[in-house]
Amino acid sequence: MKIGLIGFGKTGKSVASVLLENKKFSLEWVLRQSNVLEHRSVSEFLGIESEEPGLIYSSANTKVEELLEKHPVDAIIDFSSNEGIYAYGEFAAQKNVKIISAISHYEEKELTLLKKLSNKTTVFWSPNITLGVNYLLFAAKFLKKIAPWVDIEVNEEHFKKKMGTSGTAVKIAEALDIEKENINSVRAGGIVGKHEVIFGFPYQTVRLIHESISREAFGNGVVFVAENLKDKKRGLYNFEDILSPYFAV
């Protein structure tokens, strides 16, 4: 499966390394804002032995349309920003390129655009693309269904410079009918990401915790999503759509 990656920050680099080491995928190119690493080999920069042709391009000098014409891919994976979808979405959809977005937060206008694009191609969005945190969400919703009266607290911890409330925590809160303002947030040091849901019963407490030890966890999530989207028809998908069949067995 040929992949184009948009965004090459700390997480993007980790995702690229996982893709390069997986023989089922070929990382064709990376597009980033900065031109510092322009035309460098992704595998060479990351120090990973690979025969894959992927080079790094700058969005200042190269448009997504040009990349898709010269280096076609089966899917675009987006780890850039909530504005990134405007730069590639329409053209990717026209080319029937699958879109896998791991942007932590979209405004309503971006969500509307994703729905529009899903009429032409396969679109997936998850504010947290790690498999573990989405299993946590699935389990939390199940427990809330069993005991709708239970007290629930949602906690999230991230690195000091992360702005705003975690998109994953917001999604968990929404699924459990908890106000966004009641999410407890901690910003400290270099915490990659930790989410906890506390269920307070009268005589017992249940805690569901997911902690990302390394950003490579996002890469593993991307691989899982891409493999499960391979044969999906056009439409807008989320992690629950992908996980549900596994729970139906």
Side-chain angles (χ1 to χ4, degrees):
M1 191 174 189
K2 294 183 177 181
I3 301 293
L5 175 63
I6 299 180
F8 203 55
K10 289 181 180 179
T11 303
K13 291 181 178 70
S14 297
V15 170
S17 69
V18 172
L19 291 171
L20 286 171
E21 291 172 349
N22 191 307
K23 301 304 179 184
K24 295 181 180 179
F25 297 89
S26 175
L27 184 57
E28 298 294 301
W29 46 261
V30 168
L31 185 66
R32 68 191 305 239
Q33 286 187 329
S34 172
N35 60 8
V36 174
L37 301 172
E38 194 160 24
H39 298 146
R40 286 279 302 274
S41 162
V42 180
S43 57
E44 179 188 1
F45 173 75
L46 295 175
I48 298 173
E49 288 189 17
S50 174
E51 297 179 359
E52 293 178 22
L55 297 180
I56 301 169
Y57 295 89
S58 165
S59 58
N61 300 317
T62 305
K63 301 301 180 185
V64 177
E65 294 92 320
E66 182 181 345
L67 281 175
L68 289 177
E69 291 289 352
K70 293 183 177 180
H71 309 286
V73 296
D74 300 303
I76 286 177
I77 296 169
D78 187 1
F79 274 91
S80 58
S81 69
N82 64 320
E83 297 290 326
I85 188 68
Y86 296 107
Y88 71 86
E90 292 285 358
F91 195 78
Q94 290 174 16
K95 291 285 187 179
N96 198 30
V97 175
K98 289 179 170 59
I99 296 171
I100 299 175
S101 172
I103 303 305
S104 62
H105 179 71
Y106 277 128
E107 298 294 341
E108 193 59 39
K109 60 180 181 177
E110 283 87 43
L111 294 177
T112 300
L113 177 57
L114 289 182
K115 291 176 183 176
K116 177 184 174 184
L117 298 176
S118 70
N119 292 322
K120 297 180 180 179
T121 190
T122 306
V123 179
F124 174 92
W125 174 58
S126 176
N128 186 314
I129 206 165
T130 60
L131 179 58
V133 83
N134 283 282
Y135 175 79
L136 176 149
L137 179 58
F138 215 94
K141 289 171 67 176
F142 190 73
L143 186 52
K144 172 70 181 291
K145 188 176 182 179
I146 295 172
W149 41 265
V150 70
D151 295 328
I152 303 175
E153 291 287 331
V154 176
N155 302 326
E156 60 102 351
E157 303 175 11
H158 285 84
F159 54 94
K160 194 168 185 177
K161 292 185 179 180
K162 182 176 178 64
M163 303 297 289
T165 306
S166 157
T168 301
V170 171
K171 186 174 182 179
I172 292 172
E174 289 174 347
L176 300 176
D177 295 321
I178 295 170
E179 295 295 329
K180 176 182 174 181
E181 293 72 23
N182 292 332
I183 297 172
N184 305 304
S185 299
V186 173
R187 297 290 177 265
I191 299 172
V192 176
K194 180 178 180 180
H195 295 87
E196 178 182 27
V197 184
I198 302 174
F199 294 87
F201 292 87
Y203 305 107
Q204 61 185 322
T205 302
V206 175
R207 295 175 184 265
L208 298 176
I209 301 173
H210 175 269
E211 185 167 8
S212 294
I213 299 169
S214 166
R215 286 181 173 83
E216 274 73 14
F218 296 97
N220 290 336
V222 164
V223 167
F224 179 80
V225 169
E227 288 180 335
N228 281 273
L229 282 182
K230 189 167 51 177
D231 299 320
K232 295 285 188 186
K233 297 179 180 179
R234 67 184 63 173
L236 181 58
Y237 298 87
N238 57 33
F239 237 111
E240 190 166 337
D241 297 320
I242 291 177
L243 287 177
S244 293
Y246 292 94
F247 284 82
V249 176

